[in-house]
Amino acid sequence: MIPLPLATIAEITGGTAQGPPDVVVSGPVVIDSRAVEPGALFAAFKGERADGHDFAAGALAAGAAAVLSQRAVGGPCVVVPDVAEALGRLARGLLERLPDATVFAVTGSAGKTSTKDLIAHLVSRAGPTVHPPGSFNNEIGLPLTVLRADAATRHLVLEMGARGIGHIAYLTGIARPDVGVVLNVGTAHVGEFGSRENIARAKGEIVEAVPPGGTAVLNADDPLVAAMASRTRGEVVTFGRGPDAVVRAVDETLDEQGRGRFTLVTPEGSAPVALRLHGAHAVPNALAAAAAARAAGLPVEAVAAALATAVPESRWRMEVTERADGVTVVNDAYNANPDSVRAALDVLVHMARGRRAYAVLGEMAELGDSAVAEHAKIGQHVARSGIAGLIVVGANAAAMAEGAGQVASWTGECVQVDDVGAAVAALSERLRPRDVVLVKGSRVAGLERAAEALLAEDAR
């Protein structure tokens, strides 16, 4: 963050400064008092379990220059009606003071975080780059990421999520994208939106914010995304596997570990790419990142070379670890929706050729009235894939077991358990050397603990 006097922060946020007039915020903006550094601004949020105002004195004692708060805290502060709204205003005000920074923004039903990480990996070759760890993609996480930028920042890569119509529009009001990327429109959060068409309406808000002279990067293989071309004032650049995409993959294959190999084709030329990321679904993410990097002026050869060095950066996303006994654990437990689960299962089957495959699957949340049917379809997909065993975790995922049982030709085993501990116990009884295990579920399932337990068994 660039140094800002307390009075300037008050002006930007519409708040009232209290404290010595010479106070300057020079450090990061944090919402956890334990993360305070000298010169920081501590944003005091009042949550369901804790009130940040109660930690304001400790934050100031730890070196914070001031507090962003909704009431006076007995030290330097800017008092505002709403801390979250003020945080967004402050982020927007900071960006207005960084005219040389190019803003990249990514959304989609699946792959947002991985693609955000890929874009940052690529454009960092062309200048100092700021991007969030994990999925800081809401009205708090996004401005916190923006506020990490400073005068040296040339690229700001952001992820934008939505829980309803207008959410992405709000985020683009904080950070207007110069390059807006839409990956796909799937069934994630369909319970909240009501339909895929409503999801498309919300996701398309990102390209509506792209200004003339900017670039909208759209998935040519997804009709609902491709149709967003009419909603932007920027140049439209498409990516995909089809022949009409501007940035596309040809001669695509997967190696024995399920890692994509393809030729990256652009209007400026082509180059071979050998990904270190697992799964065919990593290829369109890589194409989207390549299209965004092309908009930043990177040549195709540099993009291809950088893609070949990218590894998973955010936790629990296709993390592949081989135990000493030869069991391979695929931890993709960060989140789950029907599209991403099917993609992960396909990776599992590919990796396990000639070996036994097990899937440990938990609830796919936020599917609304379609939840039972979608879970049953995943169970059917497991059975038709010929996987040796399915461990279904939790009552909300029970329809997966029912779906698997509907495929009469399946000779595998299905076990339904109540919790993560029972899943680990059931799997441990069955695993043999060289088996391959996929662990995946929505955040509420907490299945990363199952993967961690399987690896801890190996360590012991």
Side-chain angles (χ1 to χ4, degrees), residues 248-335:
R248 63 188 188 275
V250 300
D251 302 326
E252 182 182 342
T253 61
L254 296 177
D255 71 4
E256 68 282 355
Q257 289 292 311
R259 296 170 297 198
R261 305 289 187 262
F262 61 93
T263 299
L264 174 64
V265 178
T266 74
E268 294 75 34
S270 61
V273 175
L275 294 177
R276 297 172 66 182
L277 305 171
H278 297 266
H281 60 289
V283 173
N285 294 346
L287 293 174
R294 174 179 176 268
L298 271 72
V300 63
E301 296 82 4
V303 169
L307 284 173
T309 64
V311 296
E313 181 177 329
S314 298
R315 297 184 66 190
W316 309 329
R317 293 167 174 86
M318 295 305 292
E319 292 180 358
V320 179
T321 306
E322 185 169 331
R323 302 194 326 186
D325 62 358
V327 170
T328 300
V329 178
V330 182
N331 183 354
D332 196 34
Y334 182 78
N335 216 334

